[in-house]
Amino acid sequence: MKKFFLLFTFLLAFLASAKPFHPYHVGSVEINYNAKTKTFEISAKFFLDDLENSLNAKYNKTLHFGEEKSKAGLDQALENYFAEYFKLKSNNKFLKINYLGFEEDKESVNVYLESEATEMPKKVETAVSLLYSFFDDQMNIVHIIVNGERKSSKLNYPDRYLYQIF
């Protein structure tokens, strides 16, 4: 009985010290056309631990959000990661996407991007496969906003292509 009690205590202590687990792998990407600057302003939001684990696995590094010494490495990794896993077309033309930076928000990370200038879009196409290489149950909610009109879609792994007509 004493062995059972010790084993139970050890197991309980182990489970109590484990990091919290969230059962869903979901992110969101908002693609908003700014008519004044003629650019798309893009923001993406993911769970901090999911994004951190994905970047570390992809680039074989040990980067941690919240650590000042990791900031430059995270910026470089995020810029490369989004260049590979996020594409945007407007009116049948691929747009160059510029990485602007990121900010942490407790359990999530917001990543900011901006497209090169383009005329008012009639058709917007995107390829979003963010975190697909790490989670085979990843879901990305994509919002495209042009001239105040918002169109939202859900992309479940392995679906990555989406287009909207405005």
Side-chain angles (χ1 to χ4, degrees):
M1 184 71 171
K2 187 175 180 181
K3 286 182 182 180
F4 175 75
F5 180 72
L6 285 173
L7 180 61
F8 179 75
T9 304
F10 174 75
L11 183 60
L12 188 61
F14 175 75
L15 291 174
S17 68
K19 284 190 171 183
F21 170 76
H22 59 88
Y24 301 106
H25 299 109
V26 64
S28 67
V29 178
E30 184 172 286
I31 305 165
N32 188 11
Y33 184 73
N34 183 328
K36 290 179 184 173
T37 62
K38 296 187 175 188
T39 62
F40 283 96
E41 298 166 342
I42 303 141
S43 61
K45 186 173 194 161
F46 295 94
F47 284 111
L48 185 143
D49 58 331
D50 291 351
L51 188 55
E52 183 176 273
N53 291 333
S54 296
L55 293 174
N56 286 330
K58 169 86 174 147
Y59 299 111
N60 196 26
K61 299 206 180 230
T62 307
L63 301 168
H64 298 289
F65 288 103
E67 287 184 359
E68 190 59 36
K69 67 180 183 179
S70 290
K71 178 141 179 28
L74 283 166
D75 272 325
Q76 188 62 57
L78 286 167
E79 183 174 5
N80 294 339
Y81 192 80
F82 275 78
E84 183 173 350
Y85 295 108
F86 178 81
K87 306 291 183 199
L88 184 64
K89 276 173 93 172
S90 177
N91 300 326
N92 298 317
K93 177 189 171 219
F94 277 104
L95 299 175
K96 182 179 186 289
I97 304 296
N98 299 308
Y99 170 79
L100 301 177
F102 74 92
E103 66 181 357
E104 298 168 49
D105 182 22
K106 294 185 183 177
E107 295 179 359
S108 64
V109 175
N110 298 306
V111 179
Y112 303 104
L113 309 147
E114 185 177 52
S115 76
E116 66 181 303
T118 186
E119 292 304 314
M120 179 69 76
K122 292 181 176 99
K123 181 179 182 182
V124 178
E125 300 171 75
T126 188
V128 180
S129 55
L130 301 161
L131 277 57
Y132 281 10
S133 61
F134 199 71
F135 300 110
D136 64 3
D137 63 343
Q138 178 69 29
M139 176 190 353
N140 291 317
I141 311 288
V142 180
H143 309 282
I144 302 174
I145 305 160
V146 174
N147 205 21
E149 184 180 356
R150 179 188 195 97
K151 296 187 178 184
S152 300
S153 298
K154 176 178 71 166
L155 294 173
N156 289 318
Y157 175 90
D159 299 330
R160 62 190 71 213
Y161 300 107
L162 172 67
Y163 76 92
Q164 298 289 353
I165 305 292
F166 292 89

